[in-house]
Amino acid sequence: ARCISDCEKVFEILKNNEYQNQLSFQAKVEVRIGTAFCQIGDYRCALGHLQQASKQNLPDSKLEHDLEKVKKWHMSASFKKRADTQLEKSMFSDAIILYNQSIEEES
């Protein structure tokens, strides 16, 4: 969480500074924020920041690969959350199907 707030401070500095036009630096900050959100399991926010970095930076195959991984993790987490809800409702067969989809998404 501290990384995220530190990076947000960097963006504030960049807005009011000559660094505003340095897209590669801004992209690195976006990647750091995206990575921090991944580490806390907030894949939706992570995707937003990684996509922003991808738009700002020259084509980067590692970043594109990371984006694809995070998309899969986001989908997997979504299936798992839905499965947990079905499990709480004692809808076991639906929960199993969703858990299997979650596992397949991560493969």
Side-chain angles (χ1 to χ4, degrees):
R2 180 159 182 221
C3 176
I4 295 167
S5 66
D6 288 349
C7 288
E8 288 171 349
K9 289 177 188 173
V10 169
F11 276 131
E12 288 303 314
I13 293 168
L14 289 174
K15 286 180 186 175
N16 304 315
N17 194 305
E18 69 271 6
Y19 295 110
Q20 189 171 5
N21 293 323
Q22 293 191 3
L23 294 179
S24 65
F25 185 71
Q26 292 176 7
K28 287 179 184 179
V29 175
E30 290 283 6
V31 168
R32 288 206 176 164
I33 294 173
T35 300
F37 275 116
C38 274
Q39 290 176 346
I40 62 173
D42 189 340
Y43 302 117
R44 184 183 55 80
C45 285
L47 271 175
H49 287 281
L50 294 174
Q51 288 169 334
Q52 190 64 31
S54 180
K55 290 177 189 174
Q56 292 177 353
N57 207 359
L58 295 173
D60 182 339
S61 61
K62 182 177 179 338
L63 178 57
E64 296 304 318
H65 177 66
D66 290 348
L67 260 170
E68 291 304 313
K69 284 193 323 190
V70 174
K71 286 177 185 176
K72 286 185 174 203
W73 294 341
H74 177 59
M75 286 299 300
S76 177
S78 174
F79 284 127
K80 184 181 178 305
K81 185 176 179 180
R82 290 174 42 210
D84 291 345
T85 301
Q86 295 303 314
L87 189 61
E88 288 172 5
K89 294 177 182 178
S90 296
M91 300 179 77
F92 302 115
S93 57
D94 290 342
I96 290 170
I97 291 168
L98 290 166
Y99 284 130
N100 282 332
Q101 288 176 323
S102 174
I103 292 167
E104 287 174 17
E105 196 62 44
E106 286 187 15
S107 305

